[in-house]
Amino acid sequence: MERPRALISVWDKTGIEELAKSLNSMDWEILSTGGTASKIRASGIEVTDVSEVTQHPEIFDGRVKTLHPAVHGGILARRNFENDMETLSELGYSGIDLVCVNLYPFEDTAAREPPVSDQELIEMIDIGGPTMVRSAAKNYEDVIIITSPNQYKNILGALFESNGKPSGIDIQTRMSLAVSAFQSTASYDSAVYNELCRRF
């Protein structure tokens, strides 16, 4: 049986080393990107770069790194749909069982004084992050979606109880995490909309 896999890509790196170490101790494979991968690797944990999984480099100063079927196929494949799993295997992709993502600090950047330039603000509009969050939340029955460091402790506790098996996260918890995830992306998009309306 394949090791469970977690994709961790966060702006707010609070508690990320402990999350990665705990998952690693339960024999999870850690996938990551950019600065998150560097921070986890610096703490002595083995990390697989997402670019290794996608076989495509990060491009445009990191604007494109996770927008790839190897990532979203692994997140969105329905484990109880035989055709989904056959297609995933035929493509040479593996499932992703946990997604831990928090988003670029758009609101904090918009609130700076003196105001940042339009271009600097635009670069704080996260694209890949919300897409991964929404993909994982949509497939909540099969994927654990974590969007806040405040959620780490309870999720790790439940995983420890199940000897690291993703099935240790019950359906009610998965549903609650999905709702929180959609709330986070809705709030984010509202903040972008409101600020760009004000500016433009």
Side-chain angles (χ1 to χ4, degrees), residues 50-97:
V50 164
S51 58
E52 289 182 43
V53 174
T54 63
Q55 294 296 297
H56 199 286
E58 295 184 14
I59 57 175
F60 313 138
D61 299 321
R63 276 188 161 202
V64 180
K65 46 184 179 265
T66 59
L67 297 168
H68 192 281
V71 173
H72 290 279
I75 296 171
L76 283 162
R78 294 160 292 188
R79 297 348 186 233
N80 63 338
F81 277 51
E82 188 176 336
N83 286 346
D84 283 17
M85 300 312 291
E86 285 179 357
T87 300
L88 197 68
S89 178
E90 287 167 5
L91 292 169
Y93 302 155
S94 296
I96 294 171
D97 304 288

Side-chain angles (χ1 to χ4, degrees), residues 183-199:
Q183 192 279 329
S184 74
T185 57
S187 295
Y188 194 83
D189 283 340
S190 291
V192 172
Y193 167 77
N194 288 332
E195 180 63 16
L196 294 189
C197 278
R198 190 184 71 78
R199 286 191 177 221

Side-chain angles (χ1 to χ4, degrees), residues 1-164:
M1 194 170 90
E2 288 186 342
R3 297 166 66 194
R5 298 204 307 167
L7 196 164
I8 305 175
S9 183
V10 294
W11 183 276
D12 178 359
K13 296 176 178 58
T14 304
I16 208 67
E17 295 108 324
E18 183 57 36
L19 176 68
K21 284 178 182 176
S22 296
L23 290 171
N24 182 254
S25 74
M26 292 183 279
D27 200 34
W28 282 61
E29 181 183 358
I30 309 294
L31 314 179
S32 194
T33 60
T36 306
S38 297
K39 192 168 183 68
I40 294 171
R41 199 171 277 124
S43 70
I45 302 300
E46 184 179 341
V47 181
T48 301
D49 289 311
V50 164
S51 58
E52 289 182 43
V53 174
T54 63
Q55 294 296 297
H56 199 286
E58 295 184 14
I59 57 175
F60 313 138
D61 299 321
R63 276 188 161 202
V64 180
K65 46 184 179 265
T66 59
L67 297 168
H68 192 281
V71 173
H72 290 279
I75 296 171
L76 283 162
R78 294 160 292 188
R79 297 348 186 233
N80 63 338
F81 277 51
E82 188 176 336
N83 286 346
D84 283 17
M85 300 312 291
E86 285 179 357
T87 300
L88 197 68
S89 178
E90 287 167 5
L91 292 169
Y93 302 155
S94 296
I96 294 171
D97 304 288
L98 183 151
V99 172
C100 178
V101 171
N102 59 58
L103 309 178
Y104 295 174
F106 179 87
E107 286 184 274
D108 289 347
T109 304
R112 279 191 209 160
E113 290 294 342
V116 302
S117 68
D118 289 349
Q119 187 56 48
E120 186 174 351
L121 184 70
I122 291 297
E123 291 308 315
M124 285 295 107
I125 298 177
D126 202 331
I127 304 300
T131 306
M132 287 189 291
V133 168
R134 290 172 59 83
S135 292
K138 177 174 181 172
N139 203 23
Y140 67 87
E141 291 186 10
D142 296 310
V143 182
I144 304 156
I145 175 62
I146 301 176
T147 51
S148 168
N150 296 331
Q151 298 166 331
Y152 297 172
K153 183 178 178 181
N154 288 341
I155 295 303
L156 288 173
L159 289 173
F160 275 123
E161 289 283 319
S162 67
N163 296 314

